[in-house]
Amino acid sequence: MVDYEFFDLGDFSLQRGVTLRDAKLAYKTYGTLNADKSNVIVYPTWYSGQHYDNEWLVGEGMALDPKNYFIIIPNMLGNGLSTSPSNNPQPYNKSRFPNVTFYDNVRAQHKLVTEKFGIEKIALVVGWSMGAGQTYQWGISYPEMVERIFPFCGSAKTSFHNIVFLEGVKAALQADAAWKGGWYDEPPTTGLRAVGRVYAGWGLSQAFYREKVYLQMGYSSLEDFLVAFWEGFFLKKDANNLLTMLWTWQNGDISQTPGFDGDFEKALGAIKAKAIVMPAEMDLYFPPEDNEYEVKYMPNAELRVIKSVWGHFAGGGVNAVDTKFIDDSIKELLAS
Amino acid sequence: MVDYEFFDLGDFSLQRGVTLRDAKLAYKTYGTLNADKSNVIVYPTWYSGQHYDNEWLVGEGMALDPKNYFIIIPNMLGNGLSTSPSNNPQPYNKSRFPNVTFYDNVRAQHKLVTEKFGIEKIALVVGWSMGAGQTYQWGISYPEMVERIFPFCGSAKTSFHNIVFLEGVKAALQADAAWKGGWYDEPPTTGLRAVGRVYAGWGLSQAFYREKVYLQMGYSSLEDFLVAFWEGFFLKKDANNLLTMLWTWQNGDISQTPGFDGDFEKALGAIKAKAIVMPAEMDLYFPPEDNEYEVKYMPNAELRVIKSVWGHFAGGGVNAVDTKFIDDSIKELLAS
């Protein structure tokens, strides 16, 4: 039994030209929409994450408390639950799955929010990593609708270094001949394992490994962490789905929203929502410097840095201290 | 015509047990050994580098001036010129090439220095990256012989994070079925290209890419830099050689020198040489923090950081400002 629902997007035209026919947005909601529909939080997913992977930030007594808020977690296109290379019928299946942008994802989510629920205002959009990318996109695509945004460990425009990091991930996957240009029937497990090993150095910080924090996580050695956590993580994923989301990530750029013509500073300036932008100090692919730059151009934003050795995973919900810091800051933003 | 010479190591027993029979150390010298043999500098090579790749730091008016010093550049075992998987006869060829440590490399170099040249004192050992690893090893293997060391962008013990970064490099290479467990006849070019793409994010810093410094280097775009520089770089290398040196790197640890039994602080304390230890501020796999720790335990060492956006490549001889900073510091060390 699935614990989530589907919204029919119908024939959904993408920013880069292709139409996804009979597209579906998988989502889950938490809590109850109040009478004046003023208690809405949208919380998009991250790279290969599915809605349940977001649930660590939802709960009683937390900022995202279902007693107070109606929380919608939409699954990103390509994540294996919403329309994806792995579940779309031919001809746009597997390697033929089209390029999807954050703009497309947010337009799909907007259809869900407005057409399914009749919502006109969103109290908060919040997201980690690629979820942060969608969060910024909400701020620029629907500035009159979004009251607050809380992007953490992400960026409004994917940096060149981040693009290069992802090139390494992609190349490791595609080096496996079993990938077959995407036309595999059996998963390219060697490539997926290689992705795990490439990712392992990037996802956490130098200090995380120096302090052997993986032992606290229950792994018995560095190699155990690499196999049990990292290889295991990516072996569960579909290679084409990973590549679709990777393209979305690499091409993240709010200034590609219609009307901004690549003017990044102008696009940042158009985000009206009250914002806390929260990088993690030691994040190796979303370093705070890129967010510092953004916040200078955002009219209503504060930069607040997570001090942590967890690198990008400071925002992953895997350690209580960082989770509390994030949650407290969201509470503050919601109260403002 | 080759521009370097070979020293016969004979049957050379390695720290981990195997004997390399009829082993050769390729080396090149610059300048003239003076009468009292007091002007010797040893300058080991880096990961996949060969002696000519070190020459940017040698020249008239520089610290390593052949008019003043007798400079020996020994090629690391496994680098394709000294005995390596690619040139060793069977049975210890290709995938059967044994594991080589920094300790082994330095013992081989010591034989060259003493048996070939009758040298008893070394004014300076200097090296970048894995060359730095060998530099520390000289300091601990032959403390009475080495007067000064200048390891830059390297470490005395390879950090866990660095090991993980290299796991990603290795996995990307080995994901290519053409690698054939090392028994290839044709090079695994897909894997070598993937190594280039994985390495690209690590070798430079986030700021390097943010500032598009690759354009100053003569590359016309990010993709041009990835293909022309990074893929091109690794396509020239032999996969088994890369894996041999990668093992050496991952297992870098001066406290595995006989007599220290894994006691890293004790080993650091045994390095008598006057030292300047020089990390680069934004080096992603040899971050300054690891060197800070080392210097605390080294009796005669100063930490001096290269301020640069070039990351690890601050020490690669590719930009004049960092090269001058390094060269000036070596001059200072030699004069002290």
Side-chain angles (χ1 to χ4, degrees):
Chain A
M1 194 195 82
V2 299
D3 71 339
Y4 57 96
E5 296 171 85
F6 287 102
F7 175 72
D8 286 326
L9 293 166
D11 292 352
F12 189 75
S13 292
L14 299 167
Q15 194 177 14
R16 300 292 175 113
V18 164
T19 295
L20 272 179
R21 288 166 182 81
D22 193 23
K24 311 278 186 194
L25 193 65
Y27 67 97
K28 186 171 176 179
T29 66
Y30 307 76
T32 308
L33 186 60
N34 63 10
D36 63 356
K37 301 185 177 180
S38 65
N39 69 335
V40 177
I41 293 176
V42 176
Y43 180 19
T45 58
W46 41 269
Y47 185 57
S48 89
Q50 300 182 337
H51 58 272
Y52 51 85
D53 293 310
N54 273 9
E55 291 179 349
W56 59 273
L57 197 56
V58 177
E60 198 176 325
M62 301 188 78
L64 274 60
D65 188 334
K67 283 191 178 169
N68 303 324
Y69 289 100
F70 181 60
I71 302 151
I72 305 169
I73 303 186
N75 286 272
M76 188 160 44
L77 293 164
N79 86 335
L81 293 183
S82 290
T83 294
S84 298
S86 62
N87 63 24
N88 206 41
Q90 53 183 31
Y92 281 121
N93 60 330
K94 294 189 175 181
S95 259
R96 272 289 185 276
F97 197 80
N99 292 330
V100 178
T101 62
F102 283 138
Y103 174 84
D104 296 323
N105 270 290
V106 169
R107 195 167 73 79
Q109 293 165 22
H110 180 261
K111 282 174 74 74
L112 165 70
V113 166
T114 55
E115 296 175 17
K116 168 80 183 176
F117 296 110
I119 290 164
E120 292 175 359
K121 286 279 181 192
I122 298 176
L124 172 71
V125 183
V126 54
W128 176 53
S129 197
M130 284 186 79
Q134 293 164 79
T135 298
Y136 286 102
Q137 187 64 52
W138 265 103
I140 187 149
S141 287
Y142 306 102
E144 307 301 335
M145 188 172 184
V146 178
E147 295 173 330
R148 297 171 196 81
I149 62 171
F150 190 96
F152 57 110
C153 308
S155 66
K157 180 177 179 175
T158 303
S159 75
F160 289 145
H161 179 263
N162 196 328
I163 289 169
V164 171
F165 142 59
L166 292 170
E167 281 300 309
V169 170
K170 186 169 71 175
L173 176 56
Q174 296 183 339
D176 182 358
W179 172 62
K180 296 182 181 175
W183 301 109
Y184 52 85
D185 290 311
E186 295 300 317
T189 56
T190 301
L192 291 166
R193 288 178 188 272
V195 166
R197 288 193 176 244
V198 170
Y199 225 109
W202 290 111
L204 293 315
S205 76
Q206 295 93 344
F208 173 94
Y209 286 104
R210 191 179 298 121
E211 298 175 16
K212 301 185 189 177
V213 180
Y214 48 87
L215 297 178
Q216 299 169 24
M217 294 172 78
Y219 299 96
S220 52
S221 67
L222 185 58
E223 182 65 12
D224 189 45
F225 182 55
L226 293 178
V227 176
F229 182 84
W230 283 105
E231 293 189 4
F233 184 91
F234 283 103
L235 282 168
K236 292 184 207 127
K237 314 291 182 178
D238 177 79
N240 287 322
N241 290 355
L242 288 173
L243 291 169
T244 288
M245 290 180 283
L246 191 148
W247 190 95
T248 303
W249 184 350
Q250 286 189 315
N251 289 275
D253 181 358
I254 57 166
S255 73
Q256 294 305 314
T257 304
F260 292 96
D261 197 27
D263 187 335
F264 185 50
E265 291 75 15
K266 183 179 170 192
L268 289 167
I271 298 178
K272 295 183 177 182
K274 189 171 172 68
I276 293 177
V277 174
M278 183 169 280
E281 185 185 14
M282 297 187 185
D283 194 323
L284 290 172
Y285 45 92
F286 287 113
E289 289 79 3
D290 293 316
N291 296 129
E292 276 172 30
Y293 183 84
E294 293 169 358
V295 165
K296 276 194 282 186
Y297 292 91
M298 293 168 71
N300 208 4
E302 174 197 335
L303 184 81
R304 194 177 294 187
V305 180
I306 309 172
K307 301 283 182 189
S308 167
V309 301
W310 284 77
H312 188 62
F313 272 61
V318 274
N319 79 90
V321 174
D322 295 339
T323 294
K324 182 171 187 324
F325 184 78
I326 294 163
D327 187 54
D328 285 349
S329 297
I330 299 174
K331 282 178 179 160
E332 190 183 320
L333 182 63
L334 280 169
S336 69
Chain B
M1 196 195 81
V2 298
D3 70 340
Y4 57 96
E5 295 171 85
F6 287 102
F7 175 72
D8 285 327
L9 293 166
D11 292 352
F12 189 76
S13 292
L14 299 166
Q15 194 177 14
R16 300 292 175 114
V18 164
T19 295
L20 272 179
R21 288 166 182 82
D22 193 22
K24 312 278 186 194
L25 192 65
Y27 67 97
K28 186 170 176 179
T29 66
Y30 307 76
T32 308
L33 186 60
N34 63 9
D36 62 355
K37 301 185 177 180
S38 65
N39 69 335
V40 176
I41 293 176
V42 176
Y43 180 18
T45 58
W46 41 269
Y47 185 58
S48 89
Q50 300 181 337
H51 58 272
Y52 51 84
D53 293 311
N54 273 9
E55 291 179 349
W56 59 272
L57 197 56
V58 177
E60 198 177 325
M62 301 187 78
L64 274 59
D65 189 334
K67 284 191 178 169
N68 303 324
Y69 289 100
F70 181 61
I71 302 150
I72 305 169
I73 304 186
N75 286 272
M76 188 160 45
L77 293 164
N79 86 335
L81 293 183
S82 291
T83 294
S84 299
S86 63
N87 62 25
N88 206 41
Q90 53 183 32
Y92 281 122
N93 60 329
K94 295 189 175 181
S95 259
R96 273 289 185 276
F97 197 80
N99 292 331
V100 178
T101 62
F102 283 138
Y103 174 84
D104 296 323
N105 269 290
V106 169
R107 195 167 74 79
Q109 294 165 21
H110 180 261
K111 281 174 75 74
L112 165 69
V113 166
T114 55
E115 296 175 16
K116 169 80 182 175
F117 296 110
I119 290 164
E120 293 175 359
K121 286 280 181 192
I122 298 175
L124 172 71
V125 184
V126 53
W128 176 52
S129 197
M130 284 185 80
Q134 293 164 80
T135 298
Y136 286 101
Q137 187 63 52
W138 265 103
I140 187 148
S141 287
Y142 306 103
E144 307 301 336
M145 189 172 183
V146 177
E147 295 173 330
R148 297 171 195 81
I149 62 171
F150 190 96
F152 58 110
C153 308
S155 66
K157 180 177 179 174
T158 303
S159 75
F160 289 146
H161 179 262
N162 196 328
I163 289 169
V164 171
F165 142 59
L166 292 170
E167 281 300 309
V169 170
K170 186 170 71 174
L173 176 57
Q174 296 182 339
D176 182 358
W179 171 62
K180 296 182 181 175
W183 301 109
Y184 52 86
D185 291 310
E186 296 299 317
T189 56
T190 302
L192 291 166
R193 288 179 189 272
V195 165
R197 288 193 177 245
V198 170
Y199 225 109
W202 290 112
L204 293 315
S205 75
Q206 295 93 344
F208 173 94
Y209 286 104
R210 191 179 297 121
E211 298 174 16
K212 301 185 190 178
V213 181
Y214 48 86
L215 297 178
Q216 298 169 25
M217 294 172 77
Y219 299 95
S220 52
S221 67
L222 185 58
E223 181 64 12
D224 188 46
F225 183 55
L226 293 178
V227 176
F229 182 84
W230 283 106
E231 293 189 5
F233 183 91
F234 283 103
L235 282 168
K236 292 183 207 125
K237 315 289 182 179
D238 176 79
N240 286 322
N241 290 355
L242 288 173
L243 292 169
T244 288
M245 291 179 283
L246 191 147
W247 189 95
T248 303
W249 184 350
Q250 286 190 314
N251 289 275
D253 181 358
I254 57 166
S255 73
Q256 294 305 314
T257 304
F260 292 95
D261 197 27
D263 187 336
F264 185 50
E265 291 75 15
K266 183 180 170 192
L268 288 166
I271 298 178
K272 295 183 177 182
K274 189 170 172 69
I276 293 177
V277 174
M278 183 169 280
E281 185 185 14
M282 297 187 184
D283 194 322
L284 290 172
Y285 45 93
F286 287 113
E289 290 78 4
D290 293 315
N291 296 129
E292 276 172 30
Y293 183 83
E294 293 168 358
V295 165
K296 276 193 282 186
Y297 293 91
M298 293 168 71
N300 208 5
E302 174 197 334
L303 184 81
R304 194 177 294 187
V305 180
I306 309 172
K307 301 283 183 190
S308 167
V309 301
W310 284 77
H312 188 62
F313 272 61
V318 274
N319 79 90
V321 174
D322 295 339
T323 294
K324 182 171 187 325
F325 184 78
I326 294 163
D327 187 54
D328 285 349
S329 297
I330 299 174
K331 282 178 179 160
E332 190 183 320
L333 182 63
L334 280 169
S336 69

